[in-house]
């Protein structure tokens, strides 16, 4: 089971600053949706509103609705903690917990939520690490610190950690920007594999990556600095990259900036 | 391949062999030692041949000669950049030595004067019935007092201080947190005797509780809290925000993220801060004098009646003219240092175990 996300009239603020304005889009289940656009146009901001991570920052707030299978994440009585268990997230910079081993990192989400059964945890560790294409590289050193892995391995460890709690949706904010081409390919393969069980949203600056991995693409932009970012165009990836309906999208994906 | 179009380097350097000027003269390693030996010899000659007869002046002179000679040698051979480097290096090492001298001197004199008097019977007897002229007696009652008072104070101040620090860093916003921060700063500068006077006036006189080890602990709590809060706050602030977000993104509640991710990451630093606070209050005399009062008898109950404590014991023994009493004071000082060091080691082992190697 995976989940459809419908965003309507979404506006996000940092204090008084309006960072993105009036975003409307629908993310299909078991699809990969890519967010592209110039730096500062609000891709990360929109992504973080999808699992209520935006409001973690002091002064940050959200208007509009985000429906997850018809339920409004920002509706009354919604618990952000439960939302985040359903909508997992991988960050731009790998951030394994420095005090924990590889094993503990993978099951951190389960253990911190009170699951203690050793057999279940062992099983989930192997399953998640295999899912993140990391098992073969670390199976002999599960008790070593997670921070001792290479950057690419750490990022896959963070993916394993995110999928270990079995979310419905996986949000990835530039997951490959700190990685070499080989690790990047490994993660793209992984995204293709994960797609069969999760709804995936990925922010990327890499056009090839967006066209390789995603089914739909959202192009964000902003008029000038200080203005809020806006969703310019949202369509099938093939359409955005070959025959976009907006001039600005075409300029951006072909490398000419308007 | 034709090289005709490649222009000649336009600025030939003085050293024809290394046109890029990457080489530089570097003094061999033994030179600083040779210069140091030379400076000492010159200083000794001055000592022997001139009327200067103060050892301290000679040592200072040797140091000065070394700095001047080393800089001169280095400038003439290595050039001014390296000479400045060596000059700064010399100053840094010099400052380090100056800072270590008092530490080593204190340790050496306490060990030298205290070790002889230390004996099993000194550790296991009180001063019951021992006058200042008598040679016997011990510090059993004072050790009990110090350990109990400091442990009770820590048991109150450390959790309290940690909670305040966690509130300030993780939850505090706006007016309340600024006010708390301000009062913690004020408390940091509180003279320790004021803490003692406060407990004396409030707990002992106004509430009529009487002198006790616990009253002393209360005074120590007042002194410990700001140190614990400040150091824990600094350490918690150092924990990168990404780790907190990683926790939240896994669907872990905020309080649990703090408890299981943030605090463990900051733990070694927090332990260091707590140990500094413990070491500080273990040596406090004035507040203890006003609240615990001191006694020669063993009183293992911190909640009623006068107790003793090591700083109090040292204070009272060192103030007497008899050599026996002064010896006891030195030995007690040594024991106090050892207790603080052992506590420190234990805390470090404990904190080290929770980290991965
Ligand atoms: N913590 C914050 N506090 C205040 N303003 C912020 C904060 N984070 C982002 N912003 C602002 O919000 C706007 C959108 O930022 P966002 O990080 O979403 O951009 P982005 O599209 O992800 O850019 P990039 O591609 O560089 O990651 C920017 O103008 C940025 O300055
Ligand atoms: Mg971003």
């Amino acid at each position: 089971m995976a989940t459809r996300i419908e965003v309507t009239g979404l506006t996000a603020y940092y204090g008084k600053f309006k960072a993105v304005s009036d975003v409307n889009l629908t993310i299909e289940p078991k699809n990969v949706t890519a967010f592209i656009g110039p730096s500062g146009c609000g891709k990360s901001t929109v992504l973080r509103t999808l699992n209520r991570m935006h409001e973690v920052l002091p002064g940050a707030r959200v208007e509009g609705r985000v429906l997850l299978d018809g339920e409004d994440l920002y509706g009354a009585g919604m618990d952000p903690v439960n939302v985040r268990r359903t909508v997992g997230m991988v960050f731009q910079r790998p951030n394994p917990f420095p005090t924990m081993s590889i094993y503990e990192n993978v099951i951190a989400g389960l253990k911190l939520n009170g699951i203690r059964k050793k057999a279940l945890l062992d099983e989930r560790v192997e399953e998640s690490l295999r899912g993140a294409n990391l098992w073969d590289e670390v199976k002999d050193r599960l008790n070593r610190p997670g921070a001792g892995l290479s950057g690419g391995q750490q990022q896959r460890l963070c993916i394993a950690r995110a999928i270990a709690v079995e979310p419905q949706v996986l949000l990835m904010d530039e997951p490959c920007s700190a990685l070499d081409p080989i690790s990047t390919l490994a993660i793209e393969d992984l995204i293709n594999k994960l797609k069969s069980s999760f709804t995936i949203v990925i922010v990327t600056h890499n056009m090839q990556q967006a066209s390789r991995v995603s089914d739909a693409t959202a192009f964000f932009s902003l008029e000038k600095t200080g203005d809020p970012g806006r969703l310019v165009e949202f369509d099938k990836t093939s359409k955005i990259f070959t025959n976009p309906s907006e001039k600005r999208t075409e300029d951006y994906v072909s490398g000419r900036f308007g | 391949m034709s090289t005709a179009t490649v222009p000649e380097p336009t600025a030939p350097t003085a050293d024809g062999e290394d046109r890029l000027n990457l080489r530089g003269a570097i003094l061999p390693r033994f030179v600083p030692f040779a210069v140091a030996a030379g400076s000492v010899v010159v200083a000794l000659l001055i000592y022997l041949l001139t009327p200067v007869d103060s050892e301290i002046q000679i040592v200072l002179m040797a140091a000065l000669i070394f700095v001047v000679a080393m800089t001169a040698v280095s400038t003439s051979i290595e050039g001014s950049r390296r000479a400045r480097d060596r000059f700064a290096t010399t100053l840094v090492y010099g400052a380090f030595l100056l800072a270590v001298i008092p530490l080593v001197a204190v340790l050496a004199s306490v060990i030298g004067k205290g070790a002889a008097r230390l004996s099993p019977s000194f550790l296991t007897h009180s001063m019951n019935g021992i006058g200042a002229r008598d040679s016997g007696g011990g510090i059993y009652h004072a050790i009990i007092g110090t350990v109990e008072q400091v442990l009770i104070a820590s048991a109150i101040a450390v959790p309290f201080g940690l909670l305040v620090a966690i509130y300030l860093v993780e939850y505090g916003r706006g007016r309340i947190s600024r006010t708390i921060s301000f009062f913690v700063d004020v408390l940091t500068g509180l003279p320790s005797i004021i803490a003692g006077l406060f407990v004396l006036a409030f707990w002992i006189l106004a509430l009529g509780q009487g002198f006790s080890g616990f009253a002393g602990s209360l005074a120590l709590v007042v002194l410990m809290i700001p140190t614990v809060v400040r150091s824990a706050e600094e350490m918690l602030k150092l924990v990168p925000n990404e780790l907190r977000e990683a926790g939240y993104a896994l669907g872990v509640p905020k309080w649990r993220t703090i408890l299981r991710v943030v605090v463990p990451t900051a733990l070694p630093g927090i332990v260091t801060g707590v140990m500094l606070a413990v070491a500080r209050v273990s040596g406090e005399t004035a507040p203890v004098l006003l609240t615990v009062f001191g006694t020669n008898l063993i009183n293992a109950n911190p909640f009623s009646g006068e107790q003793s404590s090591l700083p109090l014991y040292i204070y009272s023994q060192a103030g007497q003219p008899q050599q026996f009493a002064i010896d006891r004071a030195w030995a007690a000082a040594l024991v106090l240092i050892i207790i603080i060091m052992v506590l420190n080691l234990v805390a470090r082992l404990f904190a080290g175990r929770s980290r991965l190697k």
Side-chain angles (χ1 to χ4, degrees):
Chain A
M1 190 187 99
T3 313
R4 180 195 311 273
I5 308 172
E6 286 163 84
V7 179
T8 42
L10 183 92
T11 301
Y13 297 85
Y14 291 99
K16 293 213 166 58
F17 176 63
K18 194 195 250 189
V20 282
S21 173
D22 195 26
V23 173
N24 298 287
L25 49 80
T26 302
I27 292 162
E28 295 296 332
K30 299 203 181 176
N31 256 353
V32 179
T33 303
F35 286 2
I36 60 170
S39 186
C41 67
K43 305 177 296 293
S44 303
T45 306
V46 173
L47 193 76
R48 290 165 60 93
T49 60
L50 302 184
N51 67 342
R52 297 194 61 168
M53 284 295 287
H54 180 65
E55 68 207 43
V56 166
L57 299 166
R61 66 200 168 79
V62 176
E63 286 166 5
R65 303 205 301 168
V66 178
L67 302 185
L68 205 68
D69 274 349
E71 269 209 277
D72 187 2
L73 296 190
Y74 291 91
M78 299 299 279
D79 182 354
V81 170
N82 289 336
V83 169
R84 292 178 201 135
R85 280 178 203 169
T86 314
V87 185
M89 183 156 200
V90 176
F91 297 83
Q92 177 168 0
R93 276 202 287 161
N95 53 1
F97 297 125
T99 53
M100 299 183 191
S101 66
I102 293 173
Y103 182 96
E104 289 166 329
N105 257 291
V106 176
I107 49 150
L110 299 171
K111 211 159 175 195
L112 295 183
N113 283 321
I115 296 175
R116 288 270 136 72
K117 272 208 235 96
K118 181 98 173 67
L120 176 80
L121 294 178
D122 283 349
E123 188 186 312
R124 195 66 72 77
V125 165
E126 180 167 350
E127 200 181 291
S128 310
L129 284 173
R130 280 192 195 284
N133 287 340
L134 190 61
W135 174 253
D136 290 329
E137 284 157 76
V138 300
K139 63 172 185 280
D140 301 322
R141 45 172 170 158
L142 290 177
N143 290 318
R144 310 280 303 157
L149 297 172
S150 79
Q153 290 170 331
Q154 287 187 22
Q155 191 62 300
R156 277 178 282 153
L157 178 63
C158 292
I159 295 178
R161 181 175 70 183
I163 60 183
V165 291
E166 302 191 314
Q168 304 289 316
V169 182
L170 201 55
L171 309 175
M172 301 174 136
D173 192 350
E174 300 185 45
C176 305
S177 65
L179 305 185
D180 70 295
I182 308 241
S183 311
T184 302
L185 271 186
I187 292 198
E188 288 180 12
D189 286 345
L190 178 57
I191 292 174
N192 270 322
K193 186 168 114 190
L194 295 176
K195 186 172 133 174
S196 56
S197 28
F198 303 97
T199 304
I200 295 178
V201 184
I202 177 174
V203 173
T204 177
H205 277 291
N206 182 332
M207 298 301 144
Q208 281 95 34
Q209 182 169 66
S211 61
R212 276 195 302 263
V213 300
S214 71
D215 304 295
T217 298
F219 171 60
F220 292 84
S221 190
L222 72 179
E223 302 284 306
K224 58 180 195 320
T225 28
D227 278 4
R230 284 171 201 283
L231 177 64
V232 176
E233 189 170 353
F234 176 58
D235 215 325
K236 287 220 166 52
T237 299
S238 52
K239 175 122 191 317
I240 294 272
F241 280 94
T242 53
N243 184 22
S245 31
E246 291 275 338
K247 173 84 168 59
R248 277 189 293 165
T249 315
E250 186 178 353
D251 287 348
Y252 187 78
V253 298
S254 61
R256 273 176 284 126
F257 303 102
Chain B
M1 196 177 82
S2 164
T3 55
T5 53
V6 176
E8 285 293 307
T10 45
T13 48
D15 183 357
E17 300 198 344
D18 179 21
R19 285 191 300 201
L20 287 176
N21 204 7
L22 298 177
R23 286 162 218 260
I26 298 176
L27 288 174
R29 275 175 171 239
F30 70 87
V31 172
F33 297 101
V35 175
S39 320
V40 171
V41 169
V42 172
L44 280 180
L45 282 180
I46 295 175
Y47 183 59
L48 294 177
L49 301 180
T50 63
V52 178
D53 59 355
S54 145
E55 283 83 1
I56 291 182
Q57 281 178 23
I58 293 300
V59 170
L60 286 179
M61 220 176 274
L64 202 66
I65 295 172
F66 174 75
V67 172
V68 172
M70 195 63 230
T71 309
V73 170
S74 178
T75 312
S76 64
I77 296 175
E78 300 178 314
S80 78
R81 179 171 54 85
R82 277 184 177 280
R84 269 176 286 155
D85 177 40
R86 288 200 189 270
F87 180 68
T89 309
T90 311
L91 289 191
V92 169
Y93 276 109
F96 169 70
L97 283 179
L98 274 182
V100 164
I101 287 172
L103 182 69
V104 171
V106 166
L107 270 182
S109 67
V110 172
I111 292 174
K113 293 183 173 157
R117 183 65 184 80
L118 213 54
S119 67
S121 101
F122 184 70
L123 294 176
T124 52
H125 288 77
S126 73
M127 291 297 285
N128 193 358
I130 309 277
R133 286 161 208 279
D134 303 332
S135 65
I139 55 170
Y140 183 62
H141 60 310
I143 294 179
I144 288 185
T146 285
V147 169
E148 284 181 353
Q149 288 150 29
V150 170
L151 283 186
I152 292 175
S154 310
I156 299 172
V158 172
F160 189 79
L162 268 183
L163 288 178
V164 172
I166 288 175
Y167 172 79
L168 287 177
V169 176
E170 308 287 340
Y171 294 94
R173 301 262 151 80
R175 191 83 64 55
I176 302 180
S177 103
R178 270 200 306 274
T179 315
I180 295 178
S181 234
F182 173 75
F183 280 115
V184 170
D185 277 341
V186 172
L187 268 185
T188 312
L190 189 78
S192 60
I193 194 158
I194 307 287
L197 274 176
F198 167 69
V199 173
L200 176 69
F202 191 70
W203 180 257
I204 296 177
L205 298 181
L207 296 180
Q209 295 289 332
F211 297 109
S212 71
F214 184 69
S217 300
L218 287 182
L220 298 184
V221 165
V222 175
L223 294 173
M224 270 183 100
I225 283 176
T227 328
V228 173
V229 172
R230 273 284 165 263
S231 59
E233 207 186 338
E234 291 311 314
M235 290 303 135
L236 291 173
K237 276 188 194 152
L238 286 182
V239 176
N241 236 341
E242 282 132 52
L243 293 182
R244 298 185 177 89
E245 296 206 331
Y248 304 153
L250 289 171
V252 181
K254 182 167 180 174
W255 64 270
R256 225 184 198 133
T257 305
I258 292 169
L259 218 59
R260 305 293 295 274
V261 175
V262 179
V263 172
T265 307
L267 194 63
I270 293 178
V271 168
T272 304
V274 166
M275 285 324 297
L276 281 178
V278 168
R280 181 189 162 195
V281 300
S282 304
E284 282 296 347
T285 317
V288 177
L289 185 64
L290 294 176
T291 52
V292 181
F293 199 73
T295 166
N296 282 341
L297 310 179
I298 296 171
N299 174 10
N301 181 359
F303 296 102
S304 107
E306 297 91 44
Q307 270 193 319
S308 185
S309 87
L310 284 167
L312 266 188
Y313 182 91
I314 296 167
Y315 172 74
S316 66
Q317 294 295 319
Q320 285 165 15
Q322 289 82 6
Q323 191 57 40
F324 289 137
I326 291 174
D327 285 345
R328 284 193 287 261
W330 281 111
L334 181 56
V335 171
L336 182 58
I337 291 180
I338 291 173
I339 288 179
I340 292 174
M341 266 171 33
V342 168
L343 275 181
N344 210 330
L345 279 180
V346 170
R348 260 164 218 286
L349 279 181
F350 173 72
R353 270 242 305 270
S354 73
R355 281 233 130 177
L356 293 161
K357 273 113 256 155

